[in-house]
């Protein structure tokens, strides 16, 4: 069941990250989900490092760190995707 939640959270965070970033991202939906999952894991890791991963009530700080991680990963991933596609078209 944890994989299902990871995919759902990845999809939601990836789509929110794409909405936050300016312009149109060219990565496909499946890659958005993967980048959202990676961003969520990154945000959880940072939350653990700074000691805010488990609080009473809703973990707003952890969720914001997850979203920030997703935005960062989607942004970097989109740049890499575009560069790879551009190099592939040159060949």
């Amino acid at each position: 069941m944890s994989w299902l939640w990871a995919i759902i959270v990845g999809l939601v965070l990836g789509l929110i990250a794409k909405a936050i970033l300016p312009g149109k991202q060219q990565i496909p939906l499946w890659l958005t989900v993967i980048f959202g999952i990676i961003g969520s894991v990154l945000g959880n890791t940072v939350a653990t490092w700074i000691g805010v991963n488990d609080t009473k009530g809703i973990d707003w700080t952890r969720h914001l760190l997850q979203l920030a991680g997703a935005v960062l990963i989607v942004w970097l991933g989109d740049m890499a995707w575009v560069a790879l596609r551009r190099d592939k078209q040159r060949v």
Side-chain angles (χ1 to χ4, degrees):
M1 194 65 164
S2 63
W3 282 104
L4 178 62
W5 277 114
I7 292 170
I8 292 169
V9 168
L11 173 65
V12 170
L13 286 177
L15 291 176
I16 292 172
K18 283 179 82 168
I20 289 173
L21 290 168
K24 181 176 177 2
Q25 290 73 43
Q26 299 179 17
I27 56 175
L29 182 61
W30 64 270
L31 204 49
T32 302
V33 173
I34 292 172
F35 290 160
I37 292 170
I38 293 170
S40 176
V41 170
L42 177 65
N44 279 336
T45 303
V46 172
T48 301
W49 287 341
I50 63 175
V52 295
N53 62 326
D54 191 22
T55 60
K56 294 182 183 202
I58 299 174
D59 296 330
W60 291 111
T61 305
R62 180 173 56 97
H63 296 317
L64 288 174
L65 288 170
Q66 288 175 329
L67 180 59
V71 168
L72 176 67
I73 299 298
V74 167
W75 177 63
L76 292 173
D78 184 60
M79 287 192 321
W81 177 262
V82 169
L84 286 171
R85 301 294 286 180
R86 189 176 318 128
D87 288 343
K88 193 179 233 183
Q89 290 176 353
R90 286 184 188 171
V91 174

